Amino acid sequence: MILMIPEKRVCEGKTVSFKITDHHPLQWIRTDNPAYAVVSVDGFIINERKIVNGIFKKLEYIEEKPGEAISLEDITRVIPRNELLLISRLAEGLQCESRIFIWPQNYPAGYDKTLKLIHSIKLHIENNELKIHTYKKADISDLEQGIRALRGFSFRHVKHLLTASSNVECYLANNTPNPWPGDIDAMIYDHRLQRFTAIIEFKTHNINTPVAEERIDKYRQEDWRRFNVFFDLADDFNRKLGYRPRLLYIVWGTNENRPHHANIKIDVIERDKVIRSALFARPAYNTFSQELSDYLIQLVNEA
């Protein structure tokens, strides 16, 4: 069984104004060292009571033999074991489900949607070791209804996706009232404090205008509403774990040859307001930046 992280793509039947970039801002800060770790979450569900009710990771697979099962070792070849441990502990602390969904490469395009081709795996921690707790097979309808059950409702109107990091996300958003939940681009975990100190949302900036002029409410005050799930997430941290991670909104430009993209803009935000804003020289694309990592930690600690 070959597992892989799905790549961002244009959804079937959709067109976009800008080519999907090959740059990944998470690479600037992704690390796991004795001081802190940076992890990402592929989906988190906020239910009708404004509490976290599900945390997801996702992968795709290519079968080498028909009907192959997926082992924990297969998963940890792609997702670091320490990252899975941190996410599993977070789910325990937030008293919610944590699942890894693994479906065929490019699924459901070209597949019989009635076949149970999705592997749904729930992990748990036993003596500080990860173990597979439950292992189920599902079809796309099972996945959709499972998301609906955890969320507690279906949406009346779903904003269609032009791009997504999997065909499953495209399909659920563009064909059903139960879209895949939003992701968390990055979370900083402080090993000394044993807590998540920051939740990070990256905003891609494609056009040739100054990154410094970008802000959440640049076009409409109502654009703050899409961040409500992050504020609800922080509130649930505070309710169940007794602390509230800082929320960082980071705007970054995709063209290294444009002077307007020479900096990234970092906003520390709370519900409906920016409490601090800063510019930082954009690191080289797709490489780790100790300077940016240190600066974000300093910003979080000072805010």
PDB file of all heavy atoms in Angstrom, residues 124-149:
ATOM      1  N   HIS A 124      -5.762   5.792  19.182  1.00  0.00           N
ATOM      2  CA  HIS A 124      -5.779   6.173  20.585  1.00  0.00           C
ATOM      3  C   HIS A 124      -4.388   5.971  21.164  1.00  0.00           C
ATOM      4  O   HIS A 124      -3.516   5.349  20.538  1.00  0.00           O
ATOM      5  CB  HIS A 124      -6.853   5.389  21.362  1.00  0.00           C
ATOM      6  CG  HIS A 124      -6.468   3.967  21.657  1.00  0.00           C
ATOM      7  ND1 HIS A 124      -6.569   3.416  22.901  1.00  0.00           N
ATOM      8  CD2 HIS A 124      -5.988   2.982  20.857  1.00  0.00           C
ATOM      9  CE1 HIS A 124      -6.177   2.155  22.864  1.00  0.00           C
ATOM     10  NE2 HIS A 124      -5.834   1.864  21.647  1.00  0.00           N
ATOM     11  N   ILE A 125      -4.177   6.551  22.326  1.00  0.00           N
ATOM     12  CA  ILE A 125      -2.861   6.501  22.960  1.00  0.00           C
ATOM     13  C   ILE A 125      -2.916   5.521  24.132  1.00  0.00           C
ATOM     14  O   ILE A 125      -3.786   5.623  24.997  1.00  0.00           O
ATOM     15  CB  ILE A 125      -2.438   7.899  23.448  1.00  0.00           C
ATOM     16  CG1 ILE A 125      -2.399   8.875  22.274  1.00  0.00           C
ATOM     17  CG2 ILE A 125      -1.077   7.849  24.134  1.00  0.00           C
ATOM     18  CD1 ILE A 125      -2.189  10.324  22.675  1.00  0.00           C
ATOM     19  N   GLU A 126      -1.971   4.590  24.120  1.00  0.00           N
ATOM     20  CA  GLU A 126      -1.889   3.588  25.179  1.00  0.00           C
ATOM     21  C   GLU A 126      -0.443   3.506  25.647  1.00  0.00           C
ATOM     22  O   GLU A 126       0.450   3.186  24.864  1.00  0.00           O
ATOM     23  CB  GLU A 126      -2.357   2.225  24.633  1.00  0.00           C
ATOM     24  CG  GLU A 126      -2.440   1.115  25.658  1.00  0.00           C
ATOM     25  CD  GLU A 126      -2.940  -0.167  25.017  1.00  0.00           C
ATOM     26  OE1 GLU A 126      -4.020  -0.133  24.395  1.00  0.00           O
ATOM     27  OE2 GLU A 126      -2.243  -1.200  25.141  1.00  0.00           O
ATOM     28  N   ASN A 127      -0.208   3.862  26.917  1.00  0.00           N
ATOM     29  CA  ASN A 127       1.158   3.893  27.456  1.00  0.00           C
ATOM     30  C   ASN A 127       2.085   4.747  26.591  1.00  0.00           C
ATOM     31  O   ASN A 127       3.212   4.370  26.271  1.00  0.00           O
ATOM     32  CB  ASN A 127       1.730   2.467  27.572  1.00  0.00           C
ATOM     33  CG  ASN A 127       0.943   1.615  28.537  1.00  0.00           C
ATOM     34  OD1 ASN A 127       0.465   2.097  29.571  1.00  0.00           O
ATOM     35  ND2 ASN A 127       0.775   0.338  28.211  1.00  0.00           N
ATOM     36  N   ASN A 128       1.548   5.910  26.205  1.00  0.00           N
ATOM     37  CA  ASN A 128       2.282   6.891  25.407  1.00  0.00           C
ATOM     38  C   ASN A 128       2.629   6.396  24.011  1.00  0.00           C
ATOM     39  O   ASN A 128       3.497   6.957  23.335  1.00  0.00           O
ATOM     40  CB  ASN A 128       3.560   7.351  26.118  1.00  0.00           C
ATOM     41  CG  ASN A 128       3.945   8.769  25.734  1.00  0.00           C
ATOM     42  OD1 ASN A 128       3.089   9.629  25.526  1.00  0.00           O
ATOM     43  ND2 ASN A 128       5.241   9.032  25.618  1.00  0.00           N
ATOM     44  N   GLU A 129       1.942   5.357  23.566  1.00  0.00           N
ATOM     45  CA  GLU A 129       2.148   4.823  22.223  1.00  0.00           C
ATOM     46  C   GLU A 129       0.852   4.897  21.433  1.00  0.00           C
ATOM     47  O   GLU A 129      -0.240   4.688  21.981  1.00  0.00           O
ATOM     48  CB  GLU A 129       2.620   3.366  22.280  1.00  0.00           C
ATOM     49  CG  GLU A 129       4.045   3.185  22.770  1.00  0.00           C
ATOM     50  CD  GLU A 129       5.067   3.704  21.773  1.00  0.00           C
ATOM     51  OE1 GLU A 129       4.835   3.585  20.550  1.00  0.00           O
ATOM     52  OE2 GLU A 129       6.101   4.247  22.218  1.00  0.00           O
ATOM     53  N   LEU A 130       0.985   5.188  20.155  1.00  0.00           N
ATOM     54  CA  LEU A 130      -0.195   5.217  19.284  1.00  0.00           C
ATOM     55  C   LEU A 130      -0.631   3.805  18.927  1.00  0.00           C
ATOM     56  O   LEU A 130       0.199   2.940  18.628  1.00  0.00           O
ATOM     57  CB  LEU A 130       0.131   5.967  17.990  1.00  0.00           C
ATOM     58  CG  LEU A 130       0.085   7.489  18.017  1.00  0.00           C
ATOM     59  CD1 LEU A 130       0.619   8.027  16.707  1.00  0.00           C
ATOM     60  CD2 LEU A 130      -1.326   7.997  18.268  1.00  0.00           C
ATOM     61  N   LYS A 131      -1.924   3.582  18.953  1.00  0.00           N
ATOM     62  CA  LYS A 131      -2.508   2.312  18.545  1.00  0.00           C
ATOM     63  C   LYS A 131      -3.727   2.591  17.673  1.00  0.00           C
ATOM     64  O   LYS A 131      -4.382   3.629  17.814  1.00  0.00           O
ATOM     65  CB  LYS A 131      -2.961   1.485  19.761  1.00  0.00           C
ATOM     66  CG  LYS A 131      -1.894   1.260  20.821  1.00  0.00           C
ATOM     67  CD  LYS A 131      -0.895   0.217  20.409  1.00  0.00           C
ATOM     68  CE  LYS A 131       0.092  -0.081  21.548  1.00  0.00           C
ATOM     69  NZ  LYS A 131       1.117  -1.076  21.153  1.00  0.00           N
ATOM     70  N   ILE A 132      -4.041   1.670  16.767  1.00  0.00           N
ATOM     71  CA  ILE A 132      -5.289   1.777  16.023  1.00  0.00           C
ATOM     72  C   ILE A 132      -6.425   1.294  16.907  1.00  0.00           C
ATOM     73  O   ILE A 132      -6.402   0.164  17.411  1.00  0.00           O
ATOM     74  CB  ILE A 132      -5.225   0.969  14.717  1.00  0.00           C
ATOM     75  CG1 ILE A 132      -4.252   1.643  13.745  1.00  0.00           C
ATOM     76  CG2 ILE A 132      -6.607   0.851  14.089  1.00  0.00           C
ATOM     77  CD1 ILE A 132      -4.089   0.912  12.417  1.00  0.00           C
ATOM     78  N   HIS A 133      -7.401   2.167  17.136  1.00  0.00           N
ATOM     79  CA  HIS A 133      -8.538   1.859  18.010  1.00  0.00           C
ATOM     80  C   HIS A 133      -9.688   1.251  17.222  1.00  0.00           C
ATOM     81  O   HIS A 133     -10.241   0.216  17.609  1.00  0.00           O
ATOM     82  CB  HIS A 133      -8.995   3.127  18.730  1.00  0.00           C
ATOM     83  CG  HIS A 133     -10.085   2.912  19.723  1.00  0.00           C
ATOM     84  ND1 HIS A 133      -9.969   2.033  20.778  1.00  0.00           N
ATOM     85  CD2 HIS A 133     -11.333   3.456  19.821  1.00  0.00           C
ATOM     86  CE1 HIS A 133     -11.080   2.042  21.491  1.00  0.00           C
ATOM     87  NE2 HIS A 133     -11.930   2.890  20.925  1.00  0.00           N
ATOM     88  N   THR A 134     -10.080   1.884  16.133  1.00  0.00           N
ATOM     89  CA  THR A 134     -11.114   1.325  15.251  1.00  0.00           C
ATOM     90  C   THR A 134     -10.675   1.501  13.807  1.00  0.00           C
ATOM     91  O   THR A 134      -9.939   2.432  13.471  1.00  0.00           O
ATOM     92  CB  THR A 134     -12.488   2.000  15.445  1.00  0.00           C
ATOM     93  OG1 THR A 134     -12.394   3.387  15.101  1.00  0.00           O
ATOM     94  CG2 THR A 134     -12.967   1.862  16.883  1.00  0.00           C
ATOM     95  N   TYR A 135     -11.144   0.592  12.977  1.00  0.00           N
ATOM     96  CA  TYR A 135     -10.788   0.595  11.553  1.00  0.00           C
ATOM     97  C   TYR A 135     -12.044   0.202  10.782  1.00  0.00           C
ATOM     98  O   TYR A 135     -12.536  -0.916  10.923  1.00  0.00           O
ATOM     99  CB  TYR A 135      -9.660  -0.409  11.312  1.00  0.00           C
ATOM    100  CG  TYR A 135      -9.024  -0.395   9.935  1.00  0.00           C
ATOM    101  CD1 TYR A 135      -7.648  -0.376   9.803  1.00  0.00           C
ATOM    102  CD2 TYR A 135      -9.779  -0.438   8.767  1.00  0.00           C
ATOM    103  CE1 TYR A 135      -7.025  -0.381   8.561  1.00  0.00           C
ATOM    104  CE2 TYR A 135      -9.187  -0.442   7.528  1.00  0.00           C
ATOM    105  CZ  TYR A 135      -7.813  -0.420   7.424  1.00  0.00           C
ATOM    106  OH  TYR A 135      -7.224  -0.420   6.190  1.00  0.00           O
ATOM    107  N   LYS A 136     -12.574   1.115   9.986  1.00  0.00           N
ATOM    108  CA  LYS A 136     -13.800   0.855   9.234  1.00  0.00           C
ATOM    109  C   LYS A 136     -13.576   1.193   7.769  1.00  0.00           C
ATOM    110  O   LYS A 136     -12.674   1.949   7.420  1.00  0.00           O
ATOM    111  CB  LYS A 136     -14.962   1.704   9.774  1.00  0.00           C
ATOM    112  CG  LYS A 136     -15.300   1.467  11.240  1.00  0.00           C
ATOM    113  CD  LYS A 136     -16.406   2.412  11.686  1.00  0.00           C
ATOM    114  CE  LYS A 136     -16.713   2.241  13.170  1.00  0.00           C
ATOM    115  NZ  LYS A 136     -17.758   3.189  13.634  1.00  0.00           N
ATOM    116  N   LYS A 137     -14.436   0.640   6.909  1.00  0.00           N
ATOM    117  CA  LYS A 137     -14.458   0.999   5.493  1.00  0.00           C
ATOM    118  C   LYS A 137     -15.756   1.745   5.217  1.00  0.00           C
ATOM    119  O   LYS A 137     -16.806   1.423   5.782  1.00  0.00           O
ATOM    120  CB  LYS A 137     -14.361  -0.250   4.605  1.00  0.00           C
ATOM    121  CG  LYS A 137     -13.099  -1.078   4.825  1.00  0.00           C
ATOM    122  CD  LYS A 137     -11.866  -0.415   4.255  1.00  0.00           C
ATOM    123  CE  LYS A 137     -11.807  -0.498   2.758  1.00  0.00           C
ATOM    124  NZ  LYS A 137     -11.586  -1.870   2.244  1.00  0.00           N
ATOM    125  N   ALA A 138     -15.698   2.736   4.339  1.00  0.00           N
ATOM    126  CA  ALA A 138     -16.864   3.575   4.076  1.00  0.00           C
ATOM    127  C   ALA A 138     -16.900   3.971   2.604  1.00  0.00           C
ATOM    128  O   ALA A 138     -15.880   3.927   1.906  1.00  0.00           O
ATOM    129  CB  ALA A 138     -16.820   4.830   4.954  1.00  0.00           C
ATOM    130  N   ASP A 139     -18.093   4.371   2.140  1.00  0.00           N
ATOM    131  CA  ASP A 139     -18.203   4.978   0.821  1.00  0.00           C
ATOM    132  C   ASP A 139     -18.388   6.488   0.993  1.00  0.00           C
ATOM    133  O   ASP A 139     -18.439   6.995   2.114  1.00  0.00           O
ATOM    134  CB  ASP A 139     -19.325   4.342  -0.006  1.00  0.00           C
ATOM    135  CG  ASP A 139     -20.707   4.478   0.629  1.00  0.00           C
ATOM    136  OD1 ASP A 139     -20.938   5.447   1.387  1.00  0.00           O
ATOM    137  OD2 ASP A 139     -21.573   3.626   0.351  1.00  0.00           O
ATOM    138  N   ILE A 140     -18.504   7.205  -0.108  1.00  0.00           N
ATOM    139  CA  ILE A 140     -18.572   8.660  -0.040  1.00  0.00           C
ATOM    140  C   ILE A 140     -19.830   9.140   0.673  1.00  0.00           C
ATOM    141  O   ILE A 140     -19.818  10.157   1.377  1.00  0.00           O
ATOM    142  CB  ILE A 140     -18.463   9.283  -1.457  1.00  0.00           C
ATOM    143  CG1 ILE A 140     -18.215  10.790  -1.380  1.00  0.00           C
ATOM    144  CG2 ILE A 140     -19.673   8.945  -2.296  1.00  0.00           C
ATOM    145  CD1 ILE A 140     -16.837  11.183  -0.971  1.00  0.00           C
ATOM    146  N   SER A 141     -20.931   8.384   0.543  1.00  0.00           N
ATOM    147  CA  SER A 141     -22.166   8.742   1.237  1.00  0.00           C
ATOM    148  C   SER A 141     -22.011   8.564   2.744  1.00  0.00           C
ATOM    149  O   SER A 141     -22.484   9.388   3.532  1.00  0.00           O
ATOM    150  CB  SER A 141     -23.333   7.904   0.720  1.00  0.00           C
ATOM    151  OG  SER A 141     -24.524   8.211   1.409  1.00  0.00           O
ATOM    152  N   ASP A 142     -21.340   7.477   3.156  1.00  0.00           N
ATOM    153  CA  ASP A 142     -21.072   7.269   4.585  1.00  0.00           C
ATOM    154  C   ASP A 142     -20.257   8.424   5.151  1.00  0.00           C
ATOM    155  O   ASP A 142     -20.525   8.912   6.253  1.00  0.00           O
ATOM    156  CB  ASP A 142     -20.298   5.963   4.807  1.00  0.00           C
ATOM    157  CG  ASP A 142     -21.069   4.720   4.391  1.00  0.00           C
ATOM    158  OD1 ASP A 142     -22.306   4.735   4.479  1.00  0.00           O
ATOM    159  OD2 ASP A 142     -20.413   3.745   3.969  1.00  0.00           O
ATOM    160  N   LEU A 143     -19.240   8.850   4.395  1.00  0.00           N
ATOM    161  CA  LEU A 143     -18.397   9.958   4.851  1.00  0.00           C
ATOM    162  C   LEU A 143     -19.226  11.228   4.994  1.00  0.00           C
ATOM    163  O   LEU A 143     -19.130  11.935   6.004  1.00  0.00           O
ATOM    164  CB  LEU A 143     -17.248  10.182   3.868  1.00  0.00           C
ATOM    165  CG  LEU A 143     -16.323  11.363   4.163  1.00  0.00           C
ATOM    166  CD1 LEU A 143     -15.624  11.197   5.505  1.00  0.00           C
ATOM    167  CD2 LEU A 143     -15.287  11.533   3.046  1.00  0.00           C
ATOM    168  N   GLU A 144     -20.035  11.526   3.983  1.00  0.00           N
ATOM    169  CA  GLU A 144     -20.868  12.730   4.037  1.00  0.00           C
ATOM    170  C   GLU A 144     -21.799  12.706   5.248  1.00  0.00           C
ATOM    171  O   GLU A 144     -21.902  13.693   5.991  1.00  0.00           O
ATOM    172  CB  GLU A 144     -21.693  12.851   2.758  1.00  0.00           C
ATOM    173  CG  GLU A 144     -22.575  14.091   2.754  1.00  0.00           C
ATOM    174  CD  GLU A 144     -23.730  14.010   1.763  1.00  0.00           C
ATOM    175  OE1 GLU A 144     -23.728  13.109   0.901  1.00  0.00           O
ATOM    176  OE2 GLU A 144     -24.649  14.839   1.876  1.00  0.00           O
ATOM    177  N   GLN A 145     -22.460  11.577   5.461  1.00  0.00           N
ATOM    178  CA  GLN A 145     -23.408  11.495   6.577  1.00  0.00           C
ATOM    179  C   GLN A 145     -22.700  11.501   7.928  1.00  0.00           C
ATOM    180  O   GLN A 145     -23.233  11.999   8.919  1.00  0.00           O
ATOM    181  CB  GLN A 145     -24.288  10.243   6.428  1.00  0.00           C
ATOM    182  CG  GLN A 145     -25.238  10.310   5.238  1.00  0.00           C
ATOM    183  CD  GLN A 145     -26.070  11.586   5.239  1.00  0.00           C
ATOM    184  OE1 GLN A 145     -26.676  11.947   6.249  1.00  0.00           O
ATOM    185  NE2 GLN A 145     -26.088  12.288   4.104  1.00  0.00           N
ATOM    186  N   GLY A 146     -21.477  10.957   7.971  1.00  0.00           N
ATOM    187  CA  GLY A 146     -20.699  11.024   9.208  1.00  0.00           C
ATOM    188  C   GLY A 146     -20.326  12.454   9.557  1.00  0.00           C
ATOM    189  O   GLY A 146     -20.371  12.864  10.723  1.00  0.00           O
ATOM    190  N   ILE A 147     -19.954  13.240   8.539  1.00  0.00           N
ATOM    191  CA  ILE A 147     -19.650  14.655   8.759  1.00  0.00           C
ATOM    192  C   ILE A 147     -20.893  15.382   9.242  1.00  0.00           C
ATOM    193  O   ILE A 147     -20.827  16.194  10.178  1.00  0.00           O
ATOM    194  CB  ILE A 147     -19.097  15.284   7.461  1.00  0.00           C
ATOM    195  CG1 ILE A 147     -17.688  14.737   7.174  1.00  0.00           C
ATOM    196  CG2 ILE A 147     -19.073  16.805   7.557  1.00  0.00           C
ATOM    197  CD1 ILE A 147     -17.141  15.113   5.816  1.00  0.00           C
ATOM    198  N   ARG A 148     -22.039  15.086   8.614  1.00  0.00           N
ATOM    199  CA  ARG A 148     -23.280  15.724   9.034  1.00  0.00           C
ATOM    200  C   ARG A 148     -23.609  15.389  10.493  1.00  0.00           C
ATOM    201  O   ARG A 148     -24.017  16.257  11.269  1.00  0.00           O
ATOM    202  CB  ARG A 148     -24.441  15.300   8.143  1.00  0.00           C
ATOM    203  CG  ARG A 148     -25.715  16.076   8.446  1.00  0.00           C
ATOM    204  CD  ARG A 148     -26.982  15.364   8.001  1.00  0.00           C
ATOM    205  NE  ARG A 148     -28.142  16.153   8.367  1.00  0.00           N
ATOM    206  CZ  ARG A 148     -28.646  16.241   9.597  1.00  0.00           C
ATOM    207  NH1 ARG A 148     -28.069  15.587  10.610  1.00  0.00           N
ATOM    208  NH2 ARG A 148     -29.697  16.980   9.855  1.00  0.00           N
ATOM    209  N   ALA A 149     -23.420  14.122  10.867  1.00  0.00           N
ATOM    210  CA  ALA A 149     -23.733  13.705  12.240  1.00  0.00           C
ATOM    211  C   ALA A 149     -22.851  14.440  13.250  1.00  0.00           C
ATOM    212  O   ALA A 149     -23.327  14.879  14.306  1.00  0.00           O
ATOM    213  CB  ALA A 149     -23.568  12.194  12.372  1.00  0.00           C
TER     214      ALA A 149
END
